[in-house]
Amino acid sequence: MTPSRSIWTRPLLGAVGLIVLFGAWEASIRLGWVPSGLLPAPSSLGPAWLEEVRSGAWIQAIRDSLTHYMMGLVIGSVLGMLTGLLCGTMPLLDGLLSGVVRVLRPIPGLAWVPFAILWFGLDTAGATFVIAISVFWINFYAAYGAVQAIDPDLYEVAASFGHGGFWARLRTVVIPASAPGVLAGLRTGLGQAWMSVVAAELFGVPGIGARMMQASSLLATDLVVVYMLTMALLYALTDTAFMLVRKRLLGWQG
């Protein structure tokens, strides 16, 4: 198989899979295998989406969710990455925070919602806080594991070239060698942040999650699916953009 064919094979197979999925979905509704009240037919999603677009609710929901999504993603990713890098590089700091990590890590982001309401109120700051916590641990462990996996011989080579100090080792060894693992954590965090958007908006912060909750309370399952697909589309766009950036950042590996 030529390289040009291999590039297009996977997207085409993915498109075929989606066509089969939506086709089987539509057929199951029309044939009565699944009651239409339990699951909307794909053919009903287009009109529901157009109505949301015309009312301005769809664009506004995306704008609201993107605001705290981006803020939570950046804050959680940066703090998690830096903490993971420092803990992996500094045994003393790693030991001091080991107990804290074991206590806080198992707590899901949803459990922090009551405190988000108390500390920040029903606004973007509270939603940002919940998303940041959810993303933090993914990036922390990705960076920490990437540093722990660095070949110790690299530190000796760096020291022999005059880079034996902490900051010199961090710049010449730790960051370049751990970059693939750190970026893998950042990519995972992109998806986790979108999954956390619904939880972050459960308590009334405007956005896609809040709109989904409003639609579900009215049994408007077509709107619920529309916003589920909207989140999937937004994730696909952010993931594609990130992969382009990742390819450029790791170009030196090739």
Side-chain angles (χ1 to χ4, degrees):
M1 182 179 294
T2 62
S4 59
R5 286 186 179 181
S6 63
I7 291 175
W8 291 105
T9 298
R10 187 176 180 86
L12 287 175
L13 289 175
V16 171
L18 287 175
I19 292 172
V20 172
L21 170 64
F22 283 98
W25 179 359
E26 182 74 26
S28 65
I29 301 295
R30 291 183 178 272
L31 294 174
W33 296 343
V34 179
S36 58
L38 296 180
L39 187 66
S43 56
S44 68
L45 301 181
W49 173 71
L50 287 175
E51 186 177 346
E52 284 290 287
V53 172
R54 292 193 185 103
S55 68
W58 189 69
I59 297 297
Q60 188 60 47
I62 292 177
R63 185 182 296 115
D64 292 334
S65 286
L66 278 176
T67 299
H68 43 258
Y69 169 82
M70 293 303 300
M71 292 174 61
L73 178 67
V74 171
I75 294 172
S77 298
V78 171
L79 291 180
M81 178 183 61
L82 291 178
T83 307
L85 289 175
L86 292 177
C87 285
T89 309
M90 304 170 63
L92 178 60
L93 180 63
D94 186 22
L96 288 173
L97 295 182
S98 60
V100 177
V101 170
R102 289 180 181 274
V103 170
L104 296 181
R105 175 62 186 93
I107 302 175
L110 186 60
W112 291 97
V113 168
F115 294 100
I117 297 174
L118 290 173
W119 297 342
F120 304 103
L122 300 176
D123 56 16
T124 299
T128 299
F129 172 75
V130 174
I131 296 171
I133 287 182
S134 300
V135 173
F136 175 88
W137 293 111
I138 292 176
N139 287 276
F140 171 83
Y141 276 109
Y144 182 81
V147 174
Q148 294 293 306
I150 295 176
D151 189 344
D153 292 340
L154 293 178
Y155 295 111
E156 297 182 7
V157 172
S160 65
F161 282 92
H163 301 293
F166 173 78
W167 294 110
R169 285 189 294 116
L170 188 67
R171 185 181 69 257
T172 59
V173 177
V174 174
I175 292 179
S178 64
V182 171
L183 291 176
L186 288 172
R187 186 185 184 189
T188 305
L190 289 175
Q192 181 62 41
W194 276 119
M195 290 189 291
S196 301
V197 163
V198 176
E201 294 174 351
L202 281 176
F203 49 93
V205 177
I208 294 174
R211 189 63 180 151
M212 287 175 62
M213 295 302 297
Q214 294 169 5
S216 64
S217 66
L218 298 174
L219 299 181
T221 54
D222 51 354
L223 282 182
V224 174
V225 176
V226 164
Y227 282 103
M228 289 171 65
L229 294 177
T230 298
M231 293 185 70
L233 175 62
L234 291 172
Y235 167 70
L237 293 175
T238 53
D239 185 65
T240 301
F242 177 81
M243 290 305 294
L244 293 175
V245 174
R246 179 184 182 276
K247 184 177 181 180
R248 179 175 293 272
L249 290 176
L250 298 182
W252 56 270
Q253 287 186 320

